């Protein structure tokens, strides 16, 4: 039996407040991609508020840190409607019904970058604006790549670039690289790889 602690659960911390009660919920607006929901909440101190949120896909989503070699990572350049401009980011997409996150990551990698991966391992789960969005992104590390192209749903071919993982400060200085999830994913991947490369400590 392992003595290592499991994942930290904030609900086990007695100093955390009681979760508010949901008095009612209703749909505010719905489009092809988005569903805005209003929650009528009562907090443990009796205060009542209305919160609005974007509900996410129940299937989940994946973001892939794909490395063609131990020092480099693949980034894609795609049009971002939110900024009305092209941005540099990591390949990502929704998990299709019936897929697990590894299969979804490999499919998205083939569709967006033209590569598959013999090895894919989960890295971390990230959220985005949790006050307003019920959205979780599974980040996976893909290595041992091989050429493979699948047709995707992008309106135009994506530009694939190769960047050195150790040049993250230079990437952060660019005006076209600013997606928080991609930045966090790269730093987490770099830290994981550095820890794996360190020789074991001899006592």
């Amino acid at each position: 039996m392992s003595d290592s602690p499991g994942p930290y659960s904030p609900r086990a911390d007695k100093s955390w407040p009681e979760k508010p009660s949901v008095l009612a919920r209703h749909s505010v607006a719905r489009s092809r991609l988005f569903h805005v929901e209003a929650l009528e909440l009562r907090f443990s101190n009796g205060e009542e508020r209305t919160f609005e949120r974007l509900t996410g896909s129940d299937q989940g989503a994946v973001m892939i840190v794909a490395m063609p070699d131990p020092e480099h990572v693949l980034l894609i350049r795609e049009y971002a409607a939110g900024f009305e401009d092209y941005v540099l980011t990591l390949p990502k997409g929704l998990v299709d019904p019936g897929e697990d996150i590894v299969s979804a990551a490999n499919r998205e990698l083939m569709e967006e970058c033209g590569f598959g991966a013999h090895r894919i391992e989960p890295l971390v789960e990230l959220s985005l604006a949790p006050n307003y969005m019920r959205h979780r992104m599974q980040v996976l590390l893909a290595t041992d790549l091989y050429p493979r192209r699948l047709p995707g749903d992008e309106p135009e071919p994506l530009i694939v670039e190769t960047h050195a993982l150790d040049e993250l400060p230079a990437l952060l200085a660019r005006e076209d690289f600013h997606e928080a999830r991609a930045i966090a994913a790269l730093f987490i991947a770099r830290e994981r790889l550095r820890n794996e490369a360190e020789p074991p400590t001899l006592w």
Side-chain angles (χ1 to χ4, degrees):
M1 182 174 178
S2 174
D3 293 329
S4 60
Y8 171 68
S9 174
R11 298 266 64 89
D13 189 337
K14 300 300 184 183
S15 65
W16 277 60
E18 182 182 346
K19 291 172 62 175
S21 301
V22 180
L23 305 178
R25 66 179 77 217
H26 61 272
S27 179
V28 175
R30 187 186 294 270
S31 72
R32 182 177 62 89
L33 295 177
F34 302 108
H35 177 211
V36 182
E37 183 181 59
L39 299 178
E40 308 291 341
L41 302 177
R42 178 183 293 137
F43 288 80
S44 58
N45 61 0
E47 288 290 325
E48 295 185 7
R49 294 287 189 276
T50 300
F51 281 54
E52 291 185 353
R53 67 174 185 171
L54 283 173
T55 61
S57 167
D58 292 332
Q59 300 294 331
V62 292
M63 174 175 277
I64 308 100
V65 180
M67 303 189 64
D69 61 61
E71 286 81 37
H72 294 85
V73 64
L74 300 181
L75 298 178
I76 58 171
R77 185 174 301 280
E78 65 178 351
Y79 184 75
F83 281 81
E84 299 184 38
D85 203 354
Y86 286 87
V87 298
L88 198 62
T89 186
L90 289 169
K92 58 186 178 294
L94 296 177
V95 178
D96 287 343
E99 284 185 321
D100 57 33
I101 60 172
V102 172
S103 299
N106 211 21
R107 174 183 53 76
E108 288 290 344
L109 187 58
M110 294 176 186
E111 291 177 358
E112 299 193 354
C113 295
F115 287 94
H118 289 297
R119 182 180 179 187
I120 299 179
E121 55 183 315
L123 273 180
V124 69
E125 180 182 81
L126 300 176
S127 67
L128 177 67
N131 286 50
Y132 305 102
M133 297 178 64
R134 191 189 73 187
H135 178 80
R136 298 176 185 272
M137 177 76 76
Q138 305 293 332
V139 180
L140 299 99
L141 179 64
T143 53
D144 194 7
L145 306 187
Y146 58 91
R148 176 73 188 279
R149 171 73 64 179
L150 287 179
D153 57 1
E154 290 77 20
E156 61 182 358
L158 300 179
I159 298 172
V160 181
E161 300 183 9
T162 303
H163 291 264
L165 195 56
D166 279 340
E167 294 179 2
L168 287 182
L171 276 174
L172 291 174
R174 298 172 57 127
E175 293 184 354
D176 58 352
F177 182 72
H178 46 70
E179 185 178 358
R181 295 173 302 178
I183 294 169
L186 289 178
F187 274 101
I188 292 168
R190 188 181 70 172
E191 189 69 14
R192 163 77 71 85
L193 293 169
R194 284 180 173 176
N195 289 340
E196 290 178 350
E198 288 181 356
T201 302
L202 300 179
W203 299 96

